[in-house]
Structures are given as structure tokens and as C-alpha cells.
């Protein structure tokens, strides 16, 4: 497994579109650079709303992401972005804001902001001042434009809240907020929701912020609004076991790995479950009904969070992960239950046994082994790229 660091970086962004628009003019991107142990998140707000704003913001966010991953100098990145964007004919400015957050596995964090409302850093339940600095651009074309930068070492239970101006300006013109919600009142709200939900996941807190902003606008957002949250938390660990070990002499060592793991455990595969139950003398009951007509029912084993059938169930898990988005509602079938556990976890270790199942296998043709391996690889790919999970695999 990878070298353990003492926290997991949980990143989520929630958005509301401008009233009447089907597409959001704010764009959020995040990516783990596994080889370097870094996570980069970018939020950009394009001028106006709808498709035009989305195009500007997408261009900005993609360039900011790529240049940051390549370690380009901040001022140079900003210059290139500003020079590339089309210029508004009325205001004569190329307009798209950005927030770039670059986090290393040891917590070293750099934040660069251009024209987004100042982000908020929480250390536990208190606001942290990281010591912001201004970087004023000097080039002829962008002379005087100002970037805000900070650099600090994040700790366990730190959070970073970042947003587009649709949040800060929500409620503008109403009796309650004639000048909009404002950054100070927003900070007050954030401190309150962190106090009452000290271990709440990033997505939950981001959702609370955008719900409140929408409420200020009478449920009809007057601008695209986005809130992103990065949370440095104790990693939630999960072990996914599939396939018995290649050599049955290793059955006990295999089962021992399962027993000694600290965290939630899923076994996908009947034979695998039988091996673990036998070696550790655990009670094991086969399930009777399934909530999913496509799959055999889940079974029950003491000390194991979930026991399901193997290949078919994992195949469905891969398909569901591929289609999953913020509107997905999961059911109670075995594959749905696996996904719920995977998405609630941060650091996932897969113990992949490589024994060939004699029942449906010509030993000269290890097709089942290949199917299992490729299904597991697909699941890993979605977990890492789409959900930014920290996944490791061990073959036995």
C-alpha cells in the first residue's frame, strides 16, 4: 500500500445554475496527481451566464489545471489565461475569475485567487488567517491586475471553503440583504454549520451553503453559484476482498489479512466468503431475497459489512459507477450497497485472490481470471479518476 499520510483530502463542489439556464457558467475541476502525491482543484466563474459563461470558465479552469500540474509560475499562468480569453467588447476585459488550490499529501497548500470572493480557511471551528499576499501583474496588457496568494501547512480537521460571487451576492436588493449576503455574514454562517457538523463531509457543507444562497434569492438564483469545500479528515478505510488466493495453502494468511484490517469490509464472491468463514470460524448465512432481480442476494457474515456474489455484482458496480452523477439515487440491491460503502470511504484497499474457479473454468483458459481482473481495474479507474479515492490493490 502507499505510504500512509495521516489525513485524506475530501473535495466536493456543489452548484446552482442562474435561474432559467440549463448549464452552469461556473466550472469546477479537480484532479489527483498520484505520482506526485498532489491534489489540484480549480473553480472558475465565466462572465455572464449560460453557454457563453460556461465556455469562458471551462477554458480558464482547464488551463489553470494544466499549468498548475506542470508547476508553472503563478504570474505566468495568470498572464497566459488572461491573454487567451476573448475580450468583452463593452468592458474591454477578458473575463473569467479563478481560484486554484494545490495541495500536497503532507498538507502543504497553495491557494491562488483572481477576482473570486476570498476563500475561508477553518482550523477546527476557528477561522485561520494564512497570511494572504498580493501579486500585482506587471506586463503591459495586464498591468495592475491583482492576484491573491497564500501558502500554509494544513492539519487534520482543517477545511477550505471557496466560492463564486453568486454566493456572496445572493439576496442582493432584498430587504434582508440590500447589498447581498456579503463575505462577513457568509463566514459567520460557515462557522455555524462547521460547529454543528464538525465531521460533516465536504459535499454536505457545500450543499448547505448553496441552499442558503438560493433561499436568499427566493429560490430563483440571480447568478450561477458554486461552493467548494476541501476537508482534511481522518481517512475512512475499506477493504474489498474478491477471489480466493491462488494457492489454497495461503487460505489462512489470506483470511488473517481480512481479520486484521481496521475499517469496513466487503467480500464479493461466494467461494471467497466460504474461505474466510472457514478459516476464521465465522458464522455465515446465505441471503434469501435480493432487491435486484439481476443479482443473487447479499449474504451475512459476522464482522463483515457486506457479502455479495462476485463477478456479476462487480460488473454491475463498474456500470453504476460509470453512470453515477449528483442526481443518482441508489437502491438497496447488492451492487448499490457496495457503491454506498465505496463512496463513503476514502482509502480503499482491494485484496484480489487469483485462484481459478474450477466450476466454470477450463484451467488452460484463465478467462474468468481475466474478467475479474479487468472488472476490478475498471472499478479502480472510476474510483480514482471520478471520485478521487485513494485506492491500492494486492494480488494473492
Amino acid at each position: 500500500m502507499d505510504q500512509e499520510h495521516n489525513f485524506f483530502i475530501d473535495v466536493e463542489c456543489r452548484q446552482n445554475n442562474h435561474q432559467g439556464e440549463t448549464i452552469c457558467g461556473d466550472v469546477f475541476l479537480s484532479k489527483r496527481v498520484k505520482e506526485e502525491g498532489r491534489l489540484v482543484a480549480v473553480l472558475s466563474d465565466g462572465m455572464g451566464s449560460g453557454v457563453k459563461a460556461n465556455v469562458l470558465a471551462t477554458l480558464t479552469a482547464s488551463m489553470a489545471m494544466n499549468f498548475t500540474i506542470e508547476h508553472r509560475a503563478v504570474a505566468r499562468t495568470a498572464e497566459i489565461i488572461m491573454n487567451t480569453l476573448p475580450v468583452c467588447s463593452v468592458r474591454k476585459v477578458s473575463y473569467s475569475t479563478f481560484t486554484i488550490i494545490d495541495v500536497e499529501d503532507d498538507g502543504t497548500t497553495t491557494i491562488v485567487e483572481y477576482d473570486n470572493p476570498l476563500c475561508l480557511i477553518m482550523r477546527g471551528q476557528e477561522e485561520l488567517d494564512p497570511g494572504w499576499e498580493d501579486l500585482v501583474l506587471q506586463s503591459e496588457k495586464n498591468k495592475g491586475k491583482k492576484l491573491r496568494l497564500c501558502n500554509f501547512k494544513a492539519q487534520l480537521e482543517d477545511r477550505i471553503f471557496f466560492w463564486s460571487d453568486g454566493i456572496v451576492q445572493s439576496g442582493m436588493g432584498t430587504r434582508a440583504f440590500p447589498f447581498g449576503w456579503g463575505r462577513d455574514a457568509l463566514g459567520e454562517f460557515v462557522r455555524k454549520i462547521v460547529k454543528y457538523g464538525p465531521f460533516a463531509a465536504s459535499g454536505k457543507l457545500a450543499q448547505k451553503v448553496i441552499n442558503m444562497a438560493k433561499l436568499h434569492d427566493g429560490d430563483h438564483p440571480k447568478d450561477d453559484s458554486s461552493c467548494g469545500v476541501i476537508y482534511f479528515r481522518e481517512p475512512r478505510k475499506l477493504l474489498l476482498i474478491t477471489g480466493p488466493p491462488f494457492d489454497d495453502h495461503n487460505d489462512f494468511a489470506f483470511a488473517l489479512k481480512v481479520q486484521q484490517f481496521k475499517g469496513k469490509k466487503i467480500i464479493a464472491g461466494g467461494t471467497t466468503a466460504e474461505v474466510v468463514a472457514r478459516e476464521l470460524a465465522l458464522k455465515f448465512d446465505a441471503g434469501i431475497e435480493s432487491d435486484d432481480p439481476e443479482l443473487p442476494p447479499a449474504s451475512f457474515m459476522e464482522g463483515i459489512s457486506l457479502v455479495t456474489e462476485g463477478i456479476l455484482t462487480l460488473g454491475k458496480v463498474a456500470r453504476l459507477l460509470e453512470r453515477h452523477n449528483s442526481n443518482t439515487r441508489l437502491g438497496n440491491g447488492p451492487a448499490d450497497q457496495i457503491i454506498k460503502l465505496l463512496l463513503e470511504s476514502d482509502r480503499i484497499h482491494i485484496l484480489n485472490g487469483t485462484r481459478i474457479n474450477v466450476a466454470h473454468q477450463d484451467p488452460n483458459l484463465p478467462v474468468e481470471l481475466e474478467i475479474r481482473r479487468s472488472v476490478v481495474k475498471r472499478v479502480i479507474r472510476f474510483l480514482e479518476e471520478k471520485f478521487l479515492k485513494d485506492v491500492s490493490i494486492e494480488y494473492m
Side-chain angles (χ1 to χ4, degrees):
M1 292 177 75
D2 67 338
Q3 51 49 263
E4 296 272 318
H5 29 280
N6 61 355
F7 44 61
F8 176 80
I9 304 161
D10 171 34
V11 190
E12 283 281 354
C13 181
R14 296 280 189 267
Q15 299 179 312
N16 278 328
N17 298 357
H18 183 291
Q19 173 71 14
E21 297 286 0
T22 51
I23 193 166
C24 192
D26 297 346
V27 170
F28 172 73
L29 300 176
S30 60
K31 189 170 186 179
R32 275 190 203 285
V33 189
K34 208 172 177 181
E35 317 72 64
E36 296 184 30
R38 287 164 74 207
L39 181 136
V40 179
V42 178
L43 175 65
S44 175
D45 175 359
M47 193 195 297
S49 62
V51 175
K52 179 187 152 200
N54 180 274
V55 169
L56 287 171
T58 301
L59 191 61
T60 303
S62 314
M63 291 194 317
M65 174 64 78
N66 293 334
F67 293 154
T68 304
I69 287 173
E70 291 167 8
H71 300 279
R72 295 270 185 106
V74 173
R76 187 77 196 109
T77 296
E79 295 273 5
I80 297 172
I81 291 173
M82 289 169 190
N83 294 343
T84 306
L85 294 176
V87 173
C88 162
S89 52
V90 185
R91 303 187 220 171
K92 298 282 180 269
V93 282
S94 63
Y95 212 70
S96 190
T97 69
F98 54 84
T99 297
I100 305 170
I101 304 176
D102 186 355
V103 186
E104 293 175 32
D105 276 352
D106 66 354
T108 301
T109 302
T110 306
I111 305 178
V112 182
E113 292 201 312
Y114 172 63
D115 260 16
N116 271 336
L118 189 66
C119 69
L120 173 68
I121 300 160
M122 298 286 291
R123 175 145 291 168
Q125 296 180 18
E126 301 298 319
E127 193 170 333
L128 174 76
D129 179 1
W132 290 94
E133 290 170 18
D134 288 343
L135 173 67
V136 182
L137 299 181
Q138 301 299 338
S139 72
E140 201 177 322
K141 201 170 171 187
N142 297 307
K143 201 172 181 62
K145 288 185 180 171
K146 206 161 69 174
L147 302 172
R148 279 190 306 261
L149 286 95
C150 76
N151 196 295
F152 70 102
K153 187 92 176 235
Q155 300 176 3
L156 198 61
E157 295 306 318
D158 280 4
R159 285 186 172 92
I160 303 167
F161 287 78
F162 52 103
W163 24 53
S164 62
D165 59 11
I167 301 283
V168 177
Q169 293 170 7
S170 64
M172 192 180 276
T174 61
R175 185 174 290 173
F177 301 106
F179 305 108
W181 194 0
R183 175 63 175 68
D184 292 348
L186 171 56
E188 202 55 49
F189 177 75
V190 165
R191 283 191 289 280
K192 202 183 289 176
I193 59 175
V194 169
K195 184 180 175 184
Y196 292 117
F199 304 110
S202 293
K204 214 171 199 165
L205 294 175
Q207 191 66 47
K208 285 187 172 174
V209 173
I210 69 161
N211 288 352
M212 188 52 87
K214 190 177 180 184
L215 199 66
H216 294 159
D217 282 330
D219 271 347
H220 303 300
K222 296 186 179 67
D223 191 3
D224 299 299
S225 41
S226 306
C227 175
V229 182
I230 295 180
Y231 177 23
F232 297 83
R233 71 174 179 212
E234 195 76 54
R236 299 168 188 177
K237 297 179 182 175
L238 174 82
L239 177 66
L240 172 60
I241 309 112
T242 181
F246 178 75
D247 186 336
D248 55 17
H249 294 314
N250 288 330
D251 283 359
F252 182 65
F254 179 82
L256 210 54
K257 280 181 186 281
V258 176
Q259 187 182 40
Q260 288 168 348
F261 184 83
K262 302 268 186 288
K264 293 186 174 171
K265 302 165 195 181
I266 300 172
I267 298 179
T271 314
T272 315
E274 282 165 16
V275 168
V276 173
R278 182 189 71 227
E279 295 298 322
L280 300 176
L282 299 174
K283 283 203 197 88
F284 178 31
D285 292 318
I288 299 161
E289 328 171 17
S290 175
D291 283 299
D292 184 337
E294 294 176 23
L295 298 174
S299 304
F300 306 94
M301 192 188 301
E302 58 178 319
I304 305 293
S305 311
L306 181 63
V307 180
T308 70
E309 177 278 338
I311 289 297
L312 291 174
T313 309
L314 288 175
K316 183 150 190 185
V317 165
R319 292 196 300 280
L320 290 173
L321 284 173
E322 186 170 19
R323 296 199 297 262
H324 194 283
N325 62 39
S326 56
N327 300 318
T328 302
R329 294 286 167 267
L330 293 165
N332 285 318
D336 302 72
Q337 289 187 54
I338 289 181
I339 288 177
K340 283 176 192 169
L341 287 167
L342 289 171
L343 297 188
E344 282 167 11
S345 306
D346 304 319
R347 203 168 278 160
I348 297 160
H349 186 57
I350 298 175
L351 186 55
N352 195 164
T354 54
R355 187 182 311 170
I356 293 165
N357 190 333
V358 187
H360 36 122
Q361 194 52 58
D362 168 355
N364 301 322
L365 214 81
V367 176
E368 190 222 352
L369 203 57
E370 277 314 303
I371 294 173
R372 184 188 299 272
R373 214 169 253 193
S374 66
V375 167
V376 168
K377 276 185 180 149
R378 277 184 67 209
V379 168
I380 292 174
R381 194 176 83 238
F382 295 133
L383 288 173
E384 286 186 334
E385 291 174 12
K386 194 169 171 181
F387 301 98
L388 302 186
K389 302 296 181 188
D390 185 349
V391 188
S392 53
I393 187 162
E394 174 181 1
Y395 294 102
M396 198 165 170

